[in-house]
PDB file of all heavy atoms in Angstrom:
ATOM      1  N   LEU A 196    -155.714  -1.936-116.085  1.00 97.00           N
ATOM      2  CA  LEU A 196    -156.138  -3.078-116.840  1.00 97.00           C
ATOM      3  C   LEU A 196    -156.111  -4.337-115.995  1.00 97.00           C
ATOM      4  O   LEU A 196    -157.054  -5.165-115.980  1.00 97.00           O
ATOM      5  CB  LEU A 196    -155.426  -3.147-118.108  1.00 97.00           C
ATOM      6  CG  LEU A 196    -156.000  -3.996-119.330  1.00 97.00           C
ATOM      7  CD1 LEU A 196    -157.200  -3.370-119.772  1.00 97.00           C
ATOM      8  CD2 LEU A 196    -154.934  -4.019-120.367  1.00 97.00           C
ATOM      9  N   VAL A 197    -155.002  -4.473-115.301  1.00 97.00           N
ATOM     10  CA  VAL A 197    -154.831  -5.668-114.502  1.00 97.00           C
ATOM     11  C   VAL A 197    -155.784  -5.599-113.302  1.00 97.00           C
ATOM     12  O   VAL A 197    -156.349  -6.754-112.963  1.00 97.00           O
ATOM     13  CB  VAL A 197    -153.307  -5.703-113.936  1.00 97.00           C
ATOM     14  CG1 VAL A 197    -153.206  -6.709-112.826  1.00 97.00           C
ATOM     15  CG2 VAL A 197    -152.308  -5.951-115.099  1.00 97.00           C
ATOM     16  N   GLU A 198    -156.033  -4.487-112.721  1.00 96.00           N
ATOM     17  CA  GLU A 198    -156.959  -4.433-111.669  1.00 96.00           C
ATOM     18  C   GLU A 198    -158.343  -4.829-112.099  1.00 96.00           C
ATOM     19  O   GLU A 198    -159.118  -5.461-111.320  1.00 96.00           O
ATOM     20  CB  GLU A 198    -156.997  -2.964-111.122  1.00 96.00           C
ATOM     21  CG  GLU A 198    -157.862  -2.729-109.862  1.00 96.00           C
ATOM     22  CD  GLU A 198    -157.797  -1.308-109.321  1.00 96.00           C
ATOM     23  OE1 GLU A 198    -156.738  -0.560-109.644  1.00 96.00           O
ATOM     24  OE2 GLU A 198    -158.644  -0.944-108.634  1.00 96.00           O
ATOM     25  N   LYS A 199    -158.749  -4.556-113.305  1.00 96.00           N
ATOM     26  CA  LYS A 199    -160.068  -4.941-113.748  1.00 96.00           C
ATOM     27  C   LYS A 199    -160.201  -6.390-114.130  1.00 96.00           C
ATOM     28  O   LYS A 199    -161.239  -7.037-113.915  1.00 96.00           O
ATOM     29  CB  LYS A 199    -160.456  -4.006-114.980  1.00 96.00           C
ATOM     30  CG  LYS A 199    -161.817  -4.253-115.478  1.00 96.00           C
ATOM     31  CD  LYS A 199    -162.223  -3.276-116.613  1.00 96.00           C
ATOM     32  CE  LYS A 199    -163.646  -3.503-117.117  1.00 96.00           C
ATOM     33  NZ  LYS A 199    -164.051  -2.462-118.099  1.00 96.00           N
ATOM     34  N   TYR A 200    -159.090  -6.894-114.797  1.00 96.00           N
ATOM     35  CA  TYR A 200    -159.173  -8.309-115.471  1.00 96.00           C
ATOM     36  C   TYR A 200    -158.383  -9.252-114.713  1.00 96.00           C
ATOM     37  O   TYR A 200    -158.558 -10.515-114.973  1.00 96.00           O
ATOM     38  CB  TYR A 200    -158.884  -8.196-116.901  1.00 96.00           C
ATOM     39  CG  TYR A 200    -159.929  -7.415-117.797  1.00 96.00           C
ATOM     40  CD1 TYR A 200    -159.608  -6.194-118.147  1.00 96.00           C
ATOM     41  CD2 TYR A 200    -161.047  -8.048-118.161  1.00 96.00           C
ATOM     42  CE1 TYR A 200    -160.554  -5.495-118.976  1.00 96.00           C
ATOM     43  CE2 TYR A 200    -161.876  -7.455-119.025  1.00 96.00           C
ATOM     44  CZ  TYR A 200    -161.687  -6.155-119.403  1.00 96.00           C
ATOM     45  OH  TYR A 200    -162.643  -5.490-120.127  1.00 96.00           O
ATOM     46  N   SER A 201    -157.449  -8.939-113.945  1.00 96.00           N
ATOM     47  CA  SER A 201    -156.437  -9.827-113.259  1.00 96.00           C
ATOM     48  C   SER A 201    -155.116  -9.894-114.144  1.00 96.00           C
ATOM     49  O   SER A 201    -155.241  -9.842-115.365  1.00 96.00           O
ATOM     50  CB  SER A 201    -156.952 -11.185-112.959  1.00 96.00           C
ATOM     51  OG  SER A 201    -156.755 -12.110-114.144  1.00 96.00           O
ATOM     52  N   GLU A 202    -154.059 -10.109-113.469  1.00 96.00           N
ATOM     53  CA  GLU A 202    -152.727 -10.177-114.179  1.00 96.00           C
ATOM     54  C   GLU A 202    -152.740 -11.385-115.013  1.00 96.00           C
ATOM     55  O   GLU A 202    -152.213 -11.368-116.169  1.00 96.00           O
ATOM     56  CB  GLU A 202    -151.619 -10.244-113.094  1.00 96.00           C
ATOM     57  CG  GLU A 202    -150.301 -10.341-113.768  1.00 96.00           C
ATOM     58  CD  GLU A 202    -149.089 -10.332-112.772  1.00 96.00           C
ATOM     59  OE1 GLU A 202    -149.408 -10.487-111.549  1.00 96.00           O
ATOM     60  OE2 GLU A 202    -147.961 -10.520-113.193  1.00 96.00           O
ATOM     61  N   GLU A 203    -153.174 -12.511-114.619  1.00 96.00           N
ATOM     62  CA  GLU A 203    -153.161 -13.740-115.405  1.00 96.00           C
ATOM     63  C   GLU A 203    -153.978 -13.463-116.772  1.00 96.00           C
ATOM     64  O   GLU A 203    -153.494 -13.904-117.828  1.00 96.00           O
ATOM     65  CB  GLU A 203    -153.827 -14.893-114.585  1.00 96.00           C
ATOM     66  CG  GLU A 203    -153.844 -16.211-115.428  1.00 96.00           C
ATOM     67  CD  GLU A 203    -154.606 -17.274-114.734  1.00 96.00           C
ATOM     68  OE1 GLU A 203    -155.345 -17.007-113.708  1.00 96.00           O
ATOM     69  OE2 GLU A 203    -154.556 -18.440-115.148  1.00 96.00           O
ATOM     70  N   THR A 204    -155.140 -12.888-116.651  1.00 97.00           N
ATOM     71  CA  THR A 204    -155.936 -12.652-117.833  1.00 97.00           C
ATOM     72  C   THR A 204    -155.224 -11.696-118.801  1.00 97.00           C
ATOM     73  O   THR A 204    -155.186 -11.917-120.075  1.00 97.00           O
ATOM     74  CB  THR A 204    -157.351 -12.147-117.550  1.00 97.00           C
ATOM     75  OG1 THR A 204    -157.975 -13.066-116.648  1.00 97.00           O
ATOM     76  CG2 THR A 204    -158.176 -11.905-118.706  1.00 97.00           C
ATOM     77  N   VAL A 205    -154.706 -10.596-118.321  1.00 97.00           N
ATOM     78  CA  VAL A 205    -154.008  -9.646-119.189  1.00 97.00           C
ATOM     79  C   VAL A 205    -152.845 -10.190-119.837  1.00 97.00           C
ATOM     80  O   VAL A 205    -152.591 -10.050-120.984  1.00 97.00           O
ATOM     81  CB  VAL A 205    -153.708  -8.408-118.334  1.00 97.00           C
ATOM     82  CG1 VAL A 205    -152.871  -7.379-119.133  1.00 97.00           C
ATOM     83  CG2 VAL A 205    -154.930  -7.754-117.763  1.00 97.00           C
ATOM     84  N   CYS A 206    -151.997 -10.985-119.059  1.00 96.00           N
ATOM     85  CA  CYS A 206    -150.807 -11.600-119.708  1.00 96.00           C
ATOM     86  C   CYS A 206    -151.217 -12.659-120.705  1.00 96.00           C
ATOM     87  O   CYS A 206    -150.627 -12.826-121.751  1.00 96.00           O
ATOM     88  CB  CYS A 206    -149.995 -12.225-118.615  1.00 96.00           C
ATOM     89  SG  CYS A 206    -149.111 -11.028-117.519  1.00 96.00           S
ATOM     90  N   PHE A 207    -152.271 -13.460-120.410  1.00 97.00           N
ATOM     91  CA  PHE A 207    -152.755 -14.403-121.408  1.00 97.00           C
ATOM     92  C   PHE A 207    -153.155 -13.786-122.687  1.00 97.00           C
ATOM     93  O   PHE A 207    -152.828 -14.252-123.814  1.00 97.00           O
ATOM     94  CB  PHE A 207    -153.998 -15.219-120.808  1.00 97.00           C
ATOM     95  CG  PHE A 207    -154.626 -16.120-121.719  1.00 97.00           C
ATOM     96  CD1 PHE A 207    -154.024 -17.325-121.986  1.00 97.00           C
ATOM     97  CD2 PHE A 207    -155.823 -15.732-122.377  1.00 97.00           C
ATOM     98  CE1 PHE A 207    -154.665 -18.277-122.848  1.00 97.00           C
ATOM     99  CE2 PHE A 207    -156.407 -16.640-123.266  1.00 97.00           C
ATOM    100  CZ  PHE A 207    -155.824 -17.937-123.534  1.00 97.00           C
ATOM    101  N   TYR A 208    -153.888 -12.689-122.610  1.00 97.00           N
ATOM    102  CA  TYR A 208    -154.387 -12.106-123.869  1.00 97.00           C
ATOM    103  C   TYR A 208    -153.281 -11.280-124.605  1.00 97.00           C
ATOM    104  O   TYR A 208    -153.318 -11.140-125.876  1.00 97.00           O
ATOM    105  CB  TYR A 208    -155.636 -11.210-123.612  1.00 97.00           C
ATOM    106  CG  TYR A 208    -156.913 -12.091-123.579  1.00 97.00           C
ATOM    107  CD1 TYR A 208    -157.407 -12.467-122.441  1.00 97.00           C
ATOM    108  CD2 TYR A 208    -157.530 -12.493-124.766  1.00 97.00           C
ATOM    109  CE1 TYR A 208    -158.571 -13.305-122.324  1.00 97.00           C
ATOM    110  CE2 TYR A 208    -158.616 -13.268-124.747  1.00 97.00           C
ATOM    111  CZ  TYR A 208    -159.137 -13.678-123.588  1.00 97.00           C
ATOM    112  OH  TYR A 208    -160.196 -14.487-123.582  1.00 97.00           O
ATOM    113  N   ALA A 209    -152.323 -10.858-123.895  1.00 97.00           N
ATOM    114  CA  ALA A 209    -151.104 -10.291-124.542  1.00 97.00           C
ATOM    115  C   ALA A 209    -150.446 -11.317-125.446  1.00 97.00           C
ATOM    116  O   ALA A 209    -150.100 -11.052-126.652  1.00 97.00           O
ATOM    117  CB  ALA A 209    -150.133  -9.764-123.453  1.00 97.00           C
ATOM    118  N   SER A 210    -150.270 -12.586-124.913  1.00 97.00           N
ATOM    119  CA  SER A 210    -149.779 -13.625-125.703  1.00 97.00           C
ATOM    120  C   SER A 210    -150.653 -13.996-126.776  1.00 97.00           C
ATOM    121  O   SER A 210    -150.258 -14.348-127.991  1.00 97.00           O
ATOM    122  CB  SER A 210    -149.462 -14.861-124.799  1.00 97.00           C
ATOM    123  OG  SER A 210    -149.015 -15.923-125.479  1.00 97.00           O
ATOM    124  N   ALA A 211    -151.961 -14.183-126.545  1.00 97.00           N
ATOM    125  CA  ALA A 211    -152.932 -14.526-127.578  1.00 97.00           C
ATOM    126  C   ALA A 211    -153.014 -13.535-128.713  1.00 97.00           C
ATOM    127  O   ALA A 211    -153.189 -13.980-129.881  1.00 97.00           O
ATOM    128  CB  ALA A 211    -154.312 -14.644-126.915  1.00 97.00           C
ATOM    129  N   LEU A 212    -152.827 -12.266-128.455  1.00 97.00           N
ATOM    130  CA  LEU A 212    -152.786 -11.296-129.587  1.00 97.00           C
ATOM    131  C   LEU A 212    -151.561 -11.553-130.480  1.00 97.00           C
ATOM    132  O   LEU A 212    -151.694 -11.302-131.666  1.00 97.00           O
ATOM    133  CB  LEU A 212    -152.758  -9.877-128.949  1.00 97.00           C
ATOM    134  CG  LEU A 212    -154.156  -9.327-128.462  1.00 97.00           C
ATOM    135  CD1 LEU A 212    -153.930  -8.077-127.595  1.00 97.00           C
ATOM    136  CD2 LEU A 212    -155.140  -9.123-129.608  1.00 97.00           C
ATOM    137  N   MET A 213    -150.483 -11.933-129.932  1.00 97.00           N
ATOM    138  CA  MET A 213    -149.254 -12.158-130.765  1.00 97.00           C
ATOM    139  C   MET A 213    -149.480 -13.364-131.662  1.00 97.00           C
ATOM    140  O   MET A 213    -149.182 -13.401-132.866  1.00 97.00           O
ATOM    141  CB  MET A 213    -148.026 -12.337-129.908  1.00 97.00           C
ATOM    142  CG  MET A 213    -147.570 -11.023-129.338  1.00 97.00           C
ATOM    143  SD  MET A 213    -145.953 -11.087-128.475  1.00 97.00           S
ATOM    144  CE  MET A 213    -146.595 -11.323-126.813  1.00 97.00           C
ATOM    145  N   GLU A 214    -150.144 -14.370-131.038  1.00 97.00           N
ATOM    146  CA  GLU A 214    -150.481 -15.612-131.801  1.00 97.00           C
ATOM    147  C   GLU A 214    -151.529 -15.286-132.885  1.00 97.00           C
ATOM    148  O   GLU A 214    -151.418 -15.820-134.034  1.00 97.00           O
ATOM    149  CB  GLU A 214    -151.004 -16.642-130.867  1.00 97.00           C
ATOM    150  CG  GLU A 214    -149.949 -17.159-129.922  1.00 97.00           C
ATOM    151  CD  GLU A 214    -150.619 -18.081-128.836  1.00 97.00           C
ATOM    152  OE1 GLU A 214    -151.772 -18.446-128.920  1.00 97.00           O
ATOM    153  OE2 GLU A 214    -149.819 -18.588-127.929  1.00 97.00           O
ATOM    154  N   TYR A 215    -152.431 -14.417-132.613  1.00 96.00           N
ATOM    155  CA  TYR A 215    -153.412 -13.986-133.624  1.00 96.00           C
ATOM    156  C   TYR A 215    -152.755 -13.229-134.783  1.00 96.00           C
ATOM    157  O   TYR A 215    -153.033 -13.563-135.953  1.00 96.00           O
ATOM    158  CB  TYR A 215    -154.512 -13.129-132.915  1.00 96.00           C
ATOM    159  CG  TYR A 215    -155.495 -12.572-133.883  1.00 96.00           C
ATOM    160  CD1 TYR A 215    -156.416 -13.354-134.597  1.00 96.00           C
ATOM    161  CD2 TYR A 215    -155.615 -11.226-134.087  1.00 96.00           C
ATOM    162  CE1 TYR A 215    -157.309 -12.890-135.408  1.00 96.00           C
ATOM    163  CE2 TYR A 215    -156.536 -10.590-135.003  1.00 96.00           C
ATOM    164  CZ  TYR A 215    -157.466 -11.490-135.669  1.00 96.00           C
ATOM    165  OH  TYR A 215    -158.350 -10.870-136.461  1.00 96.00           O
ATOM    166  N   SER A 216    -151.878 -12.361-134.546  1.00 96.00           N
ATOM    167  CA  SER A 216    -151.165 -11.578-135.490  1.00 96.00           C
ATOM    168  C   SER A 216    -150.282 -12.480-136.330  1.00 96.00           C
ATOM    169  O   SER A 216    -150.212 -12.398-137.592  1.00 96.00           O
ATOM    170  CB  SER A 216    -150.328 -10.485-134.949  1.00 96.00           C
ATOM    171  OG  SER A 216    -151.062  -9.523-134.318  1.00 96.00           O
ATOM    172  N   GLU A 217    -149.650 -13.559-135.689  1.00 97.00           N
ATOM    173  CA  GLU A 217    -148.901 -14.503-136.465  1.00 97.00           C
ATOM    174  C   GLU A 217    -149.792 -15.366-137.395  1.00 97.00           C
ATOM    175  O   GLU A 217    -149.387 -15.483-138.561  1.00 97.00           O
ATOM    176  CB  GLU A 217    -148.200 -15.488-135.447  1.00 97.00           C
ATOM    177  CG  GLU A 217    -147.356 -16.498-136.109  1.00 97.00           C
ATOM    178  CD  GLU A 217    -146.857 -17.571-135.151  1.00 97.00           C
ATOM    179  OE1 GLU A 217    -147.155 -17.501-133.901  1.00 97.00           O
ATOM    180  OE2 GLU A 217    -146.077 -18.453-135.545  1.00 97.00           O
ATOM    181  N   LYS A 218    -150.884 -15.688-136.937  1.00 97.00           N
ATOM    182  CA  LYS A 218    -151.816 -16.539-137.783  1.00 97.00           C
ATOM    183  C   LYS A 218    -152.244 -15.705-138.994  1.00 97.00           C
ATOM    184  O   LYS A 218    -152.296 -16.192-140.133  1.00 97.00           O
ATOM    185  CB  LYS A 218    -153.057 -16.896-136.940  1.00 97.00           C
ATOM    186  CG  LYS A 218    -154.086 -17.626-137.728  1.00 97.00           C
ATOM    187  CD  LYS A 218    -155.329 -17.986-136.865  1.00 97.00           C
ATOM    188  CE  LYS A 218    -156.411 -18.623-137.718  1.00 97.00           C
ATOM    189  NZ  LYS A 218    -157.659 -18.923-136.840  1.00 97.00           N
ATOM    190  N   ILE A 219    -152.676 -14.415-138.783  1.00 96.00           N
ATOM    191  CA  ILE A 219    -153.122 -13.645-139.941  1.00 96.00           C
ATOM    192  C   ILE A 219    -152.010 -13.301-140.916  1.00 96.00           C
ATOM    193  O   ILE A 219    -152.152 -13.261-142.234  1.00 96.00           O
ATOM    194  CB  ILE A 219    -153.756 -12.329-139.455  1.00 96.00           C
ATOM    195  CG1 ILE A 219    -154.959 -12.679-138.562  1.00 96.00           C
ATOM    196  CG2 ILE A 219    -154.195 -11.432-140.614  1.00 96.00           C
ATOM    197  CD1 ILE A 219    -156.026 -13.441-139.172  1.00 96.00           C
ATOM    198  N   THR A 220    -150.781 -13.078-140.371  1.00 97.00           N
ATOM    199  CA  THR A 220    -149.609 -12.805-141.174  1.00 97.00           C
ATOM    200  C   THR A 220    -149.316 -14.001-142.056  1.00 97.00           C
ATOM    201  O   THR A 220    -149.022 -13.909-143.302  1.00 97.00           O
ATOM    202  CB  THR A 220    -148.397 -12.367-140.408  1.00 97.00           C
ATOM    203  OG1 THR A 220    -148.691 -11.237-139.670  1.00 97.00           O
ATOM    204  CG2 THR A 220    -147.192 -12.035-141.283  1.00 97.00           C
ATOM    205  N   LYS A 221    -149.402 -15.170-141.541  1.00 97.00           N
ATOM    206  CA  LYS A 221    -149.233 -16.456-142.277  1.00 97.00           C
ATOM    207  C   LYS A 221    -150.230 -16.509-143.393  1.00 97.00           C
ATOM    208  O   LYS A 221    -149.867 -16.929-144.510  1.00 97.00           O
ATOM    209  CB  LYS A 221    -149.270 -17.672-141.352  1.00 97.00           C
ATOM    210  CG  LYS A 221    -148.013 -17.871-140.502  1.00 97.00           C
ATOM    211  CD  LYS A 221    -148.176 -19.148-139.662  1.00 97.00           C
ATOM    212  CE  LYS A 221    -146.933 -19.483-138.887  1.00 97.00           C
ATOM    213  NZ  LYS A 221    -147.095 -20.733-138.057  1.00 97.00           N
ATOM    214  N   ASN A 222    -151.473 -16.253-143.159  1.00 97.00           N
ATOM    215  CA  ASN A 222    -152.520 -16.294-144.118  1.00 97.00           C
ATOM    216  C   ASN A 222    -152.161 -15.311-145.269  1.00 97.00           C
ATOM    217  O   ASN A 222    -152.445 -15.543-146.484  1.00 97.00           O
ATOM    218  CB  ASN A 222    -153.823 -16.021-143.564  1.00 97.00           C
ATOM    219  CG  ASN A 222    -154.347 -17.141-142.689  1.00 97.00           C
ATOM    220  OD1 ASN A 222    -153.921 -18.293-142.767  1.00 97.00           O
ATOM    221  ND2 ASN A 222    -155.317 -16.780-141.784  1.00 97.00           N
ATOM    222  N   THR A 223    -151.669 -14.123-144.914  1.00 97.00           N
ATOM    223  CA  THR A 223    -151.253 -13.135-145.920  1.00 97.00           C
ATOM    224  C   THR A 223    -150.134 -13.635-146.812  1.00 97.00           C
ATOM    225  O   THR A 223    -150.241 -13.556-148.074  1.00 97.00           O
ATOM    226  CB  THR A 223    -150.851 -11.834-145.168  1.00 97.00           C
ATOM    227  OG1 THR A 223    -151.984 -11.301-144.480  1.00 97.00           O
ATOM    228  CG2 THR A 223    -150.404 -10.771-146.267  1.00 97.00           C
ATOM    229  N   ILE A 224    -149.221 -14.219-146.220  1.00 98.00           N
ATOM    230  CA  ILE A 224    -148.053 -14.836-147.006  1.00 98.00           C
ATOM    231  C   ILE A 224    -148.449 -15.990-147.887  1.00 98.00           C
ATOM    232  O   ILE A 224    -148.041 -16.114-148.995  1.00 98.00           O
ATOM    233  CB  ILE A 224    -146.937 -15.252-146.027  1.00 98.00           C
ATOM    234  CG1 ILE A 224    -146.300 -14.134-145.236  1.00 98.00           C
ATOM    235  CG2 ILE A 224    -145.876 -15.980-146.759  1.00 98.00           C
ATOM    236  CD1 ILE A 224    -145.416 -14.414-144.156  1.00 98.00           C
ATOM    237  N   LYS A 225    -149.426 -16.795-147.357  1.00 97.00           N
ATOM    238  CA  LYS A 225    -149.933 -17.924-148.040  1.00 97.00           C
ATOM    239  C   LYS A 225    -150.618 -17.508-149.322  1.00 97.00           C
ATOM    240  O   LYS A 225    -150.645 -18.203-150.350  1.00 97.00           O
ATOM    241  CB  LYS A 225    -150.995 -18.699-147.261  1.00 97.00           C
ATOM    242  CG  LYS A 225    -151.176 -20.146-147.693  1.00 97.00           C
ATOM    243  CD  LYS A 225    -152.215 -20.821-146.825  1.00 97.00           C
ATOM    244  CE  LYS A 225    -151.556 -21.011-145.408  1.00 97.00           C
ATOM    245  NZ  LYS A 225    -152.527 -21.850-144.552  1.00 97.00           N
ATOM    246  N   ASN A 226    -151.093 -16.226-149.455  1.00 96.00           N
ATOM    247  CA  ASN A 226    -151.810 -15.798-150.613  1.00 96.00           C
ATOM    248  C   ASN A 226    -150.833 -15.238-151.697  1.00 96.00           C
ATOM    249  O   ASN A 226    -151.259 -14.794-152.745  1.00 96.00           O
ATOM    250  CB  ASN A 226    -152.852 -14.704-150.225  1.00 96.00           C
ATOM    251  CG  ASN A 226    -153.983 -15.335-149.518  1.00 96.00           C
ATOM    252  OD1 ASN A 226    -154.451 -16.416-149.824  1.00 96.00           O
ATOM    253  ND2 ASN A 226    -154.577 -14.517-148.610  1.00 96.00           N
ATOM    254  N   ILE A 227    -149.490 -15.183-151.320  1.00 97.00           N
ATOM    255  CA  ILE A 227    -148.427 -14.782-152.304  1.00 97.00           C
ATOM    256  C   ILE A 227    -147.982 -16.066-153.003  1.00 97.00           C
ATOM    257  O   ILE A 227    -147.649 -17.020-152.358  1.00 97.00           O
ATOM    258  CB  ILE A 227    -147.291 -14.116-151.610  1.00 97.00           C
ATOM    259  CG1 ILE A 227    -147.855 -12.883-150.753  1.00 97.00           C
ATOM    260  CG2 ILE A 227    -146.263 -13.688-152.633  1.00 97.00           C
ATOM    261  CD1 ILE A 227    -146.739 -12.231-149.907  1.00 97.00           C
ATOM    262  N   PRO A 228    -147.944 -16.114-154.370  1.00 97.00           N
ATOM    263  CA  PRO A 228    -147.453 -17.375-155.048  1.00 97.00           C
ATOM    264  C   PRO A 228    -146.117 -17.745-154.553  1.00 97.00           C
ATOM    265  O   PRO A 228    -145.209 -16.945-154.358  1.00 97.00           O
ATOM    266  CB  PRO A 228    -147.538 -16.895-156.510  1.00 97.00           C
ATOM    267  CG  PRO A 228    -148.546 -15.781-156.601  1.00 97.00           C
ATOM    268  CD  PRO A 228    -148.342 -15.046-155.293  1.00 97.00           C
ATOM    269  N   ASP A 229    -145.919 -19.020-154.358  1.00 98.00           N
ATOM    270  CA  ASP A 229    -144.597 -19.509-153.974  1.00 98.00           C
ATOM    271  C   ASP A 229    -143.571 -19.194-155.031  1.00 98.00           C
ATOM    272  O   ASP A 229    -143.882 -19.190-156.243  1.00 98.00           O
ATOM    273  CB  ASP A 229    -144.602 -21.097-153.843  1.00 98.00           C
ATOM    274  CG  ASP A 229    -145.216 -21.466-152.499  1.00 98.00           C
ATOM    275  OD1 ASP A 229    -145.659 -20.548-151.819  1.00 98.00           O
ATOM    276  OD2 ASP A 229    -145.357 -22.680-152.292  1.00 98.00           O
ATOM    277  N   GLY A 230    -142.399 -18.947-154.649  1.00 97.00           N
ATOM    278  CA  GLY A 230    -141.332 -18.610-155.648  1.00 97.00           C
ATOM    279  C   GLY A 230    -140.223 -17.785-155.038  1.00 97.00           C
ATOM    280  O   GLY A 230    -140.279 -17.409-153.930  1.00 97.00           O
ATOM    281  N   LYS A 231    -139.244 -17.506-155.921  1.00 98.00           N
ATOM    282  CA  LYS A 231    -138.143 -16.650-155.538  1.00 98.00           C
ATOM    283  C   LYS A 231    -138.216 -15.311-156.430  1.00 98.00           C
ATOM    284  O   LYS A 231    -138.346 -15.433-157.594  1.00 98.00           O
ATOM    285  CB  LYS A 231    -136.833 -17.331-155.777  1.00 98.00           C
ATOM    286  CG  LYS A 231    -135.532 -16.497-155.473  1.00 98.00           C
ATOM    287  CD  LYS A 231    -134.210 -17.215-155.602  1.00 98.00           C
ATOM    288  CE  LYS A 231    -133.047 -16.412-155.222  1.00 98.00           C
ATOM    289  NZ  LYS A 231    -131.793 -17.061-155.480  1.00 98.00           N
ATOM    290  N   TYR A 232    -138.146 -14.268-155.704  1.00 98.00           N
ATOM    291  CA  TYR A 232    -138.309 -12.954-156.404  1.00 98.00           C
ATOM    292  C   TYR A 232    -137.165 -12.064-156.007  1.00 98.00           C
ATOM    293  O   TYR A 232    -136.844 -11.948-154.843  1.00 98.00           O
ATOM    294  CB  TYR A 232    -139.721 -12.331-155.996  1.00 98.00           C
ATOM    295  CG  TYR A 232    -140.910 -13.285-156.184  1.00 98.00           C
ATOM    296  CD1 TYR A 232    -141.378 -13.924-155.089  1.00 98.00           C
ATOM    297  CD2 TYR A 232    -141.448 -13.437-157.451  1.00 98.00           C
ATOM    298  CE1 TYR A 232    -142.470 -14.851-155.245  1.00 98.00           C
ATOM    299  CE2 TYR A 232    -142.466 -14.330-157.549  1.00 98.00           C
ATOM    300  CZ  TYR A 232    -142.951 -15.000-156.516  1.00 98.00           C
ATOM    301  OH  TYR A 232    -144.010 -15.905-156.736  1.00 98.00           O
ATOM    302  N   THR A 233    -136.630 -11.437-157.041  1.00 98.00           N
ATOM    303  CA  THR A 233    -135.369 -10.591-156.746  1.00 98.00           C
ATOM    304  C   THR A 233    -135.601  -9.232-157.217  1.00 98.00           C
ATOM    305  O   THR A 233    -136.203  -8.924-158.239  1.00 98.00           O
ATOM    306  CB  THR A 233    -134.169 -11.258-157.480  1.00 98.00           C
ATOM    307  OG1 THR A 233    -133.960 -12.604-156.899  1.00 98.00           O
ATOM    308  CG2 THR A 233    -132.925 -10.537-157.213  1.00 98.00           C
TER     309      THR A 233
END
């Protein structure tokens, strides 16, 4: 993968994928009503 795209590009998109998952997870949580549930 690095040979095809370069180390810089592969490492950049590894980080970008984590940021993308974080963003979508935040959107998922935002759709749950605020509150305390036990």
Side-chain angles (χ1 to χ4, degrees):
L196 198 60
V197 168
E198 188 177 340
K199 181 173 182 178
Y200 291 99
S201 83
E202 181 180 0
E203 181 186 11
T204 301
V205 175
C206 291
F207 174 79
Y208 277 96
S210 177
L212 283 168
M213 287 186 267
E214 292 173 1
Y215 175 63
S216 292
E217 178 184 6
K218 176 183 176 181
I219 299 302
T220 303
K221 282 183 175 180
N222 289 339
T223 299
I224 295 171
K225 197 181 293 185
N226 289 326
I227 303 172
D229 284 0
K231 181 177 179 180
Y232 309 100
T233 301

